[in-house]
Each structure stands twice: as C-alpha cells, then as structure tokens.
Amino acid sequence: MKVDKYVRQVAESFQFDVNDTWGNENSMILQGMGLMHNYEKLGRVLDNLIKQVPYDRKYAGIASFYVMEKGETEVKDRIKGLMNCLNAQFDEENDEMALVFYTKYETKLGGREHYQDVMNRYRAASEREGVNHAYFMTAVIEGIESIDQAIYEYYDGLKRLFKTSLRELILEDELDITDKALAAFSILKACRLKVVLAEKYEKAGLDLYEQVMEDIQSKDLNKGAAMMMMAERLLH
C-alpha cells in the first residue's frame, strides 16, 4: 500500500474522543504525520487534523511542535498548557512518550534548563519492571533527535540508553506486529541519525519494516506505530 493512501485512510478514520495518554494510538498517528510534514500533501493532513483535536488533549502534544515549526505560533499556548499539566503530575506519569514532549519543550521553549531532569526521568523509565523495549526505544530515539546535541553529556546519555535497550530487544524471542513497527522505526532512525552503525543494524530494521508492510491491514497493528514507521522509511 502506498504511504499517502494509508495516511489518508488513517486520517479519515481518526477517533478524536479516546483515552487521552501521551503515547496512545492517536499520539503516534499525529507524530507520524508530523514526521511527514516536509511532504507538502501529507503535511497538510496533519495541519487539518490537529486543528480539530480538543485543545487540552495530551495526545496532540508532540505533534504540536511540528505545527509550531511551520509558523502556527498560536499553538505555543497549547504546548505551554500541556507542559503545565505534565508538571503537575509528572511523578505519577509512567508513559515514556511524555519524556519526548518534555525534551522537545526544553529544547524549543524551556531554555534547556531542565536537561538533567529529562535525563534522570529517562534513566528511571529504563529501570522500570517490564519495560517494552520497542516502545522505550521509540521514546529515546525521539528524545535523541529533540535534544541539543551540543550539550553532549545528555545527548550521549540518551544514546547509551538506546543501545542498551536495543541489545535487550534483540534478545527477545518474539515481537508482536506493533512492536515490530516501533522497532523498525527506531532502528532505521537510529541508523539515519548515526546513533548506531547502519552497516550492522539497517538490514534488521528494513526486514522488520517489510514484515509489517506484508500485514499492514492487521487489526492488531497500532496505526500510529505503522504511521511512524512509514514516515521514517520516507526519510531514510
């Protein structure tokens, strides 16, 4: 299936009134569309969709940065409001994708003052029992792209977390189709960003991508994970 057809299909079936979490299916759908924002026709899909999302929905948080980058400056109020809400309950937040939002906020709007706290929270997340490594890698590689690389201590710290989680993922016996999509996204993006050696890992990422694409209409596949995977394949 062509990417543009899949994007439009997902946008047309988008359910606005769902459980509001940082990394739910809607969040990853919007993130995937955000990653495609340089493709004119696909970028317009995000622009149209995100404006329909209720203003206080957390799942629009990460994608809002892509809209802001395109000149929609009024979206800053949405982002600042979501950051205030996150701060109010951060110690109870267990969704690693919230850390992506936090990293982007610190880099783009927060003055990088809380990078140490960002790093501490990523490390704490990596130590939780039952970590889903495919999902965690997705959150970490998005954090790596979002952080100011000039502040090497934190950039390098996230790279180390990614590589540790990747080693754990490789040891897993079986991945479900959503985890395959997230792993494909994370590995291919890590290769593109030179976080890991493409010569060593790119084939594994591409193999996972092909496996997901063979069953892209599976009811068990998180559409947001598929969208992010497709977006990275366009960029790769």
Side-chain angles (χ1 to χ4, degrees):
M1 173 179 284
K2 291 184 177 179
V3 172
D4 58 346
K5 181 178 179 182
Y6 188 81
V7 170
R8 284 172 173 75
Q9 182 185 93
V10 171
E12 288 169 3
S13 61
F14 192 87
Q15 300 295 312
F16 294 93
D17 189 18
V18 299
N19 182 36
D20 188 28
T21 56
W22 290 100
N24 69 0
E25 185 173 63
N26 278 7
S27 173
M28 289 194 286
I29 287 172
L30 295 173
Q31 283 184 66
M33 290 178 179
L35 293 167
M36 298 174 187
H37 72 292
N38 286 329
Y39 296 85
E40 184 179 356
K41 293 180 180 178
L42 299 179
R44 287 202 298 267
V45 176
L46 173 64
D47 293 345
N48 293 333
L49 193 57
I50 202 168
K51 291 173 184 175
Q52 302 174 54
V53 176
Y55 202 73
D56 60 346
R57 289 289 169 138
K58 292 184 286 189
Y59 67 67
I62 296 171
S64 294
F65 286 99
Y66 294 104
V67 180
M68 185 181 76
E69 288 170 4
K70 296 172 76 171
E72 301 286 347
T73 53
E74 66 270 17
V75 83
K76 285 185 181 180
D77 289 338
R78 160 178 267 172
I79 291 171
K80 290 177 180 178
L82 290 173
M83 190 66 234
N84 288 337
C85 291
L86 180 59
N87 275 328
Q89 55 188 8
F90 221 152
D91 290 340
E92 290 76 46
E93 181 59 67
N94 292 316
D95 189 337
E96 294 98 319
M97 213 61 74
L99 300 178
V100 179
F101 176 82
Y102 188 22
T103 310
K104 285 184 178 293
Y105 183 89
E106 280 302 308
T107 301
K108 297 179 182 298
L109 296 173
R112 303 165 179 79
E113 294 179 10
H114 299 104
Y115 268 0
Q116 184 62 62
D117 189 47
V118 169
M119 194 67 242
N120 291 345
R121 291 183 186 277
Y122 266 110
R123 287 197 180 109
S126 74
E127 295 168 358
R128 291 187 192 124
E129 187 175 353
V131 173
N132 179 318
H133 291 289
Y135 187 75
F136 182 70
M137 285 165 54
T138 301
V140 176
I141 199 64
E142 288 290 88
I144 288 171
E145 186 177 51
S146 302
I147 205 163
D148 185 345
Q149 295 183 19
I151 307 179
Y152 187 74
E153 176 186 356
Y154 304 120
Y155 173 68
D156 186 60
L158 289 178
K159 285 175 62 175
R160 289 173 185 273
L161 287 181
F162 182 88
K163 291 176 181 179
T164 298
S165 202
L166 175 57
R167 288 194 292 269
E168 294 294 329
L169 179 92
I170 290 170
L171 295 175
E172 294 185 14
D173 295 328
E174 189 70 30
L175 296 175
D176 65 29
I177 190 167
T178 292
D179 284 350
K180 285 181 179 179
L182 292 175
F185 165 80
S186 301
I187 292 170
L188 291 175
K189 185 160 191 168
C191 291
R192 179 170 60 84
L193 298 180
K194 297 181 171 56
V195 172
V196 298
L197 289 173
E199 294 88 344
K200 186 173 182 178
Y201 292 105
E202 184 178 53
K203 184 179 183 302
L206 291 172
D207 286 347
L208 287 166
Y209 173 86
E210 292 299 335
Q211 290 174 36
V212 176
M213 292 302 293
E214 287 173 5
D215 200 14
I216 193 65
Q217 296 293 355
S218 170
K219 62 180 178 57
D220 297 320
L221 175 60
N222 181 305
K223 294 183 181 66
M227 191 82 75
M228 292 180 73
M229 179 193 73
M230 288 179 169
E232 179 55 37
R233 188 68 182 94
L234 284 174
L235 294 167
H236 196 71

